[in-house]
Amino acid sequence: KIGFEEGKGEGLKEAILLGFELKFGNGELRKNKLNELKNLLSKIDDIRKLKKIKKHIFLAKTPDEFIKKVKAIKKSKIS
């Protein structure tokens, strides 16, 4: 079960990164934001938090808004 959860988490992280690239493009500024996002996601293992982050890709209007939300979710206590 642990391996399955780890795989699920990695899949969600890949989906989040792909969604970010598709929504916000991949210009030089976006690449910096993408690297910041990768760094943040590498520190999140909670599947519930990752699912919540994935939903917010569609709600964010800018990369900065999305990354701010990721930081808030990362710090949150989700039960």
Side-chain angles (χ1 to χ4, degrees), residues 16-32:
I16 292 165
L17 292 169
L18 178 61
F20 183 89
E21 285 186 90
L22 290 172
K23 179 157 185 172
F24 299 115
N26 63 357
E28 197 57 41
L29 176 65
R30 302 292 191 256
K31 286 181 183 178
N32 291 336

Side-chain angles (χ1 to χ4, degrees), residues 5 8-10 12-13 16 37 40-57 66 69-79:
E5 290 297 316
K8 192 172 183 182
E10 289 305 311
L12 281 167
K13 289 175 186 181
I16 292 165
L37 180 58
L40 283 168
L41 291 177
S42 72
K43 298 173 184 166
I44 302 172
D45 293 319
D46 187 317
I47 299 296
R48 293 165 297 180
K49 287 183 179 184
L50 292 169
K51 285 180 178 179
K52 191 170 183 177
I53 289 167
K54 190 177 84 170
K55 289 180 185 176
H56 280 280
I57 293 170
F66 180 65
K69 188 64 180 178
V70 171
K71 288 177 180 177
I73 292 170
K74 180 180 174 273
K75 292 179 184 177
S76 71
K77 303 271 189 258
I78 296 178
S79 57

